[in-house]
Amino acid sequence: MSDRTTSPYGSWSSPISADMFATTGVGLDATRLEGGAAYWLEFRPTEDGRSVVVRADPGEDPRDVTPEGFDVRTKVHEYGGGAYWLHGATVFFANFEDQRLYRQEIGAEPAPITEESGGRHRYADGRVTPDGRLVICVRERHEGSSSAEVVNELVAMAPDGSGGVRTIASGHDFYAYPRPSPDGTHLAWISWDHPEMPWDGTELWVADLGGDGSLANERQVAGGREESIIQPEWGPGGELHFVSDRTGWWNLYRERDGATEALHPMEAEFGGPLWEFGLSSFAFLDDGRIACVYGRDGLQQLAVLDPGSGELVDLDVPYTVVAWPTLSAEGTRVSLVAGGPSIPHQVVVVDFAAASIEVLREGRTVTFDPAYISIPRALEYPTGDGQTAHALFYPPTNPAFEGRVDELPPLIVATHGGPTGESVANFDLGIQYFTSRGFAVADVNYRGSTGYGRAYRRQLEGGWGVVDTIDCVNVAKHLAAEGLVDGARMAIRGGSAGGYATLCALTFHDTFAAGASLFGIADLEALFHATHKFESRYGDRLVGPYPDALDVYRARSPIHFVDRISCPMIILQGSEDEVVPPAQAEMMVEALERKGLPYAYLLFEGEQHGFRKAEHIKRSLEAELSFYARIFGVELGDPIEPVEIHNLP
């Protein structure tokens, strides 16, 4: 006899609440090691979503570096990243409110070193030259209201801001990774131009670096339209290393004696898509070895590579997920943010000499029985057109409840954004919020996702809105056919490009009984008229050149085919989203109202592309659960604030 209570799937009580998801944890990112101290960024939903630089000295508790009133976040490319860097104990950072660059000495107040521009001049991804004379970083200038009037460039300035900001490289549409050599005589960087995205094609450059920041004798080391190069880094001996996908997989390379050589060829990803600045998947130890992270089959592995012999040794660590890799090394120590399906993200320092792991900060503390955690299994399934796609399947899991024998669980198909993104098996309370109540979740890595090589990414080219949607539809059909979920109670949800896949699935297919679009794209044509510079030509490969492929853009825009939608929908949107503006959501809401379909719409004031404030994170999650429960006829086991559903009989 089971000691569990038998109750309908979806109705189970759970200790995992929306309030826990929104308020009991912090986001962790961007680790650095400098002068024996460890630094990282903490994203704090309970402080209006601001990000703070935190420092931990050996043997001491972590403490905030940036004070209240500052939010360490840049708007370059709108997605940001690379918002702070170090030189000794001095921190340089971009402040979100005014987008100025600040300098802060430990224990002192931050001081601006760039001009007041009303947020039109933005800075990211910087470094200080070894002699401390120059700060070199990316600048993005908004000289008008359209994306065509945005200028990206490399700039240099004195660390105290005296003498102003000087442009040292321009002419390309985008720049990233300005990295001075250890002796300060050279600068490496990458650039790319429309219509390419950085995971399509970038160029790696090196130039002589003058004492005033001037560049001379520029030469292209590698790259082009069909080769994605990321993370140029100088080794301790002055050799340039980088990650390239020239073989179809992002692998490690170095330039030596004028030739480029692969350090360990492998069908695995030692890099990822450059959505944000600062991605760092490898770092140099003091003995010349390279600490690195690679991904394969949906899991990440921390390893050490000997560049002399090419030997790669996997480390025996408890982590299978490395969040947006930002490895940093000093001596024999490496810092990173890591976790796993049952391990929340942690800031950890691995000491290769002592063979030890030190946890400096936990993103959240698990206060409930780990038996509530659903552990996913990797799923490869047929797409219906002779190909296969990938997903992570999370079964309903609750030690106190079990479903009825005559019932199967409802399914939520989760679609990641991007669409050039990847779902990984990390500790996600958002997913566990549903699985612990009796829902199954399939987290889809549709064709076009990263983590499975360039060929898999490119299967979405020309097929955005079709291929990804088919993969989401077919994972649901596959799980229903396997008898794992209730085929009559399947929902699809996603944000941004995942919201677009959701809207396409609900418009052009009849597989799902409900859907949730979080800042999703309803009108491709309107999107590319209004979106920011970084993504303004993203559709060229995914759909076709605009406006030549205008008919295709319209044919794949759900807003033009709302008459085909026949199931309820909840739409969640930020009021200040510049990536997918609120007008996209409002067009869909108006169409649903005209047709008389059940829908819920929540607009969150002050939010951008993704929700950062605790009260909004909580409300959006509860509203989504409330919506599914009403549509699927489930009586919830825990009290939550219901969401208003229009046009519901």
Side-chain angles (χ1 to χ4, degrees), residues 109 263 267 436 562 642:
E109 285 295 307
L263 296 183
E267 289 190 354
S436 63
V562 292

Side-chain angles (χ1 to χ4, degrees), residues 511-584:
T511 303
F512 298 101
S517 171
L518 291 78
F519 36 91
I521 302 160
D523 187 336
L524 288 180
E525 183 183 2
L527 173 74
F528 288 104
H529 272 308
T531 197
H532 53 111
K533 179 184 176 182
F534 179 66
E535 291 186 290
S536 62
R537 299 289 300 277
Y538 194 9
D540 281 36
R541 282 195 185 229
L542 293 175
V543 183
Y546 184 86
D548 295 347
L550 179 59
D551 290 346
V552 181
Y553 280 80
R554 290 180 175 174
R556 296 187 190 169
S557 295
I559 193 64
H560 299 309
F561 302 94
V562 292
D563 58 306
R564 300 187 187 182
I565 302 176
S566 58
C567 71
M569 188 185 310
I570 181 171
I571 297 176
L572 308 167
Q573 177 70 40
S575 67
E576 297 180 5
D577 192 337
E578 295 185 28
V579 178
V580 179
Q584 292 270 312

Side-chain angles (χ1 to χ4, degrees), residues 301-556:
Q301 176 66 51
L302 181 62
V304 61
L305 173 65
D306 184 337
S309 66
E311 181 185 21
L312 182 75
V313 177
D314 293 344
L315 300 185
D316 183 15
V317 295
Y319 308 109
T320 57
V321 173
V322 177
W324 183 249
T326 54
L327 270 67
S328 177
E330 185 177 55
T332 63
R333 303 164 70 231
V334 173
S335 65
L336 66 156
V337 176
S342 60
I343 303 175
H345 284 157
Q346 303 172 340
V347 175
V348 300
V349 173
V350 179
D351 192 320
F352 284 73
S356 64
I357 299 175
E358 181 182 9
V359 178
L360 299 181
R361 177 77 92 197
E362 294 182 332
R364 66 175 73 242
T365 301
V366 177
T367 58
F368 55 86
D369 186 346
Y372 284 94
I373 298 173
S374 178
I375 302 299
R377 66 177 175 90
L379 180 69
E380 186 172 358
Y381 61 93
T383 61
D385 55 3
Q387 303 294 321
T388 60
H390 300 269
L392 296 168
F393 178 65
Y394 295 80
T397 304
N398 188 311
F401 290 92
E402 62 184 6
R404 299 187 314 217
V405 295
D406 61 345
E407 182 191 24
L408 291 171
L411 171 69
I412 299 171
V413 171
T415 59
H416 65 67
T420 312
E422 180 184 6
S423 294
V424 295
N426 62 352
F427 181 84
D428 188 336
L429 275 188
I431 289 177
Q432 306 299 333
Y433 180 74
F434 290 107
T435 56
S436 63
R437 287 171 168 78
F439 290 82
V441 174
D443 204 2
V444 183
N445 278 316
Y446 45 75
R447 286 169 290 173
S449 303
T450 52
Y452 303 91
R454 186 181 182 98
Y456 191 77
R457 290 202 313 273
R458 297 195 68 171
Q459 288 187 52
L460 193 60
E461 292 187 2
W464 190 30
V466 177
V467 172
D468 49 334
T469 305
I470 288 173
D471 291 354
C472 293
V473 167
N474 278 300
V475 74
K477 290 181 175 179
H478 174 78
L479 292 170
E482 292 290 311
L484 296 172
V485 302
D486 183 350
R489 295 189 298 168
M490 300 193 297
I492 182 171
R493 57 101 63 199
S496 192
Y500 174 57
T502 294
L503 294 174
C504 285
L506 299 178
T507 302
F508 303 119
H509 301 267
D510 59 2
T511 303
F512 298 101
S517 171
L518 291 78
F519 36 91
I521 302 160
D523 187 336
L524 288 180
E525 183 183 2
L527 173 74
F528 288 104
H529 272 308
T531 197
H532 53 111
K533 179 184 176 182
F534 179 66
E535 291 186 290
S536 62
R537 299 289 300 277
Y538 194 9
D540 281 36
R541 282 195 185 229
L542 293 175
V543 183
Y546 184 86
D548 295 347
L550 179 59
D551 290 346
V552 181
Y553 280 80
R554 290 180 175 174
R556 296 187 190 169

